[in-house]
């Protein structure tokens, strides 16, 4: 597989506003697949895709926000994105939401 070529194609489609391509490009940056790892780029592309109601992007962005990966930690924003993804049927988002306890903070994500 040519991951660099895939990342380039995702970027071309992502720049045209395609939510799935934005999500896939974010994953490339997050996991260093075909591009250098860049958490700021990853969260930026997750955010664009999440704004288009992509549940996987909402979940991944939520985890980044809860951990402070790629941008300042934002618990409230992360929990809200988890709720949005869970409402769309994202099982892992629902599971993480169920585990979060106000008294415990976000220890389950560290």
């Amino acid at each position: 597989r040519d991951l660099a070529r895939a990342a380039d194609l995702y970027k071309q489609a992502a720049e045209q506003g395609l939510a799935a391509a934005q999500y896939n490009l974010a994953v490339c940056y997050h996991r260093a697949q075909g591009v250098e790892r860049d958490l700021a780029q990853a969260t930026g592309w997750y955010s664009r895709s999440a704004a288009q109601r992509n549940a996987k992007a909402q979940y991944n962005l939520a985890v980044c926000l809860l951990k402070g990966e790629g941008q300042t930690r934002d618990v409230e924003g992360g929990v809200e994105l988890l709720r949005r993804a869970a409402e769309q049927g994202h099982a892992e988002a629902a599971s993480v939401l169920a585990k979060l306890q106000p008294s415990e903070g976000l220890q389950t994500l560290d």
Side-chain angles (χ1 to χ4, degrees):
R1 298 185 330 200
D2 187 349
L3 295 177
R5 176 74 176 135
D8 184 54
L9 292 173
Y10 287 143
K11 186 171 187 179
Q12 290 175 36
E15 288 173 343
Q16 293 179 22
L18 299 174
Q22 292 168 339
Y23 169 78
N24 288 328
L25 181 59
V27 170
C28 289
Y29 280 114
H30 202 167
R31 298 182 184 163
Q33 295 178 333
V35 293
E36 287 189 33
R37 187 167 198 235
D38 185 333
L39 293 176
Q41 283 285 335
T43 57
W45 287 109
Y46 283 141
S47 181
R48 292 177 187 181
S49 184
Q52 296 188 63
R53 299 183 41 84
N54 181 310
K56 293 184 293 185
Q58 290 169 336
Y59 172 77
N60 284 11
L61 180 58
V63 171
C64 289
L65 290 173
L66 294 170
K67 291 182 174 185
E69 290 184 348
Q71 55 187 275
T72 305
R73 189 172 187 198
D74 179 0
V75 174
E76 187 176 309
V79 169
E80 177 58 29
L81 284 165
L82 285 175
R83 284 192 182 112
R84 290 181 191 174
E87 287 171 0
Q88 293 184 76
H90 193 285
E92 200 166 349
S95 175
V96 170
L97 267 178
K99 291 177 185 176
L100 295 178
Q101 299 294 321
S103 62
E104 296 178 19
L106 297 165
Q107 299 302 316
T108 58
L109 295 178
D110 293 334

